[in-house]
Amino acid sequence: MTNEYKLRAELSNSKIYQSNSNSHEYLRTGKYLKSKTVVFEDNSEIEDLLHKYKDSKIDGSKFTLANRISVLF
């Protein structure tokens, strides 16, 4: 999988990957979650959330962003 996808975010219970061949395709995996692939027609919302999540400090906003990312799947 590492050749096909790159890790974009590690949330508390899951990881979000982006396809190397299709920038609109994302994969969510998790220990207690069934893996799910989603292709977004417009990926600007998830990209914005991923950037904010990466740049946020560990506080309530990081938890809120993780929830918003998870809802997209």
Side-chain angles (χ1 to χ4, degrees), residues 3-51:
N3 292 335
E4 298 173 29
Y5 291 91
K6 63 183 171 188
L7 180 63
R8 292 298 308 277
E10 289 189 58
L11 310 178
S12 58
N13 292 319
S14 63
K15 293 181 181 179
I16 306 297
Y17 295 89
Q18 184 178 28
S19 171
N20 290 326
S21 60
N22 180 355
S23 64
H24 291 256
E25 181 180 329
Y26 296 82
L27 170 67
R28 182 201 66 198
T29 64
K31 185 174 182 178
Y32 303 107
L33 299 169
K34 186 174 183 179
S35 295
K36 184 172 183 182
T37 303
V38 176
V39 178
F40 295 94
E41 188 172 311
D42 177 8
N43 69 340
S44 59
E45 180 180 11
I46 191 166
E47 282 297 315
D48 183 49
L49 291 171
L50 288 169
H51 287 294

Side-chain angles (χ1 to χ4, degrees), residues 48-64:
D48 183 49
L49 291 171
L50 288 169
H51 287 294
K52 287 179 182 176
Y53 182 82
K54 182 181 134 194
D55 296 337
S56 67
K57 302 201 182 321
I58 298 175
D59 63 5
S61 66
K62 195 163 189 101
F63 180 74
T64 301

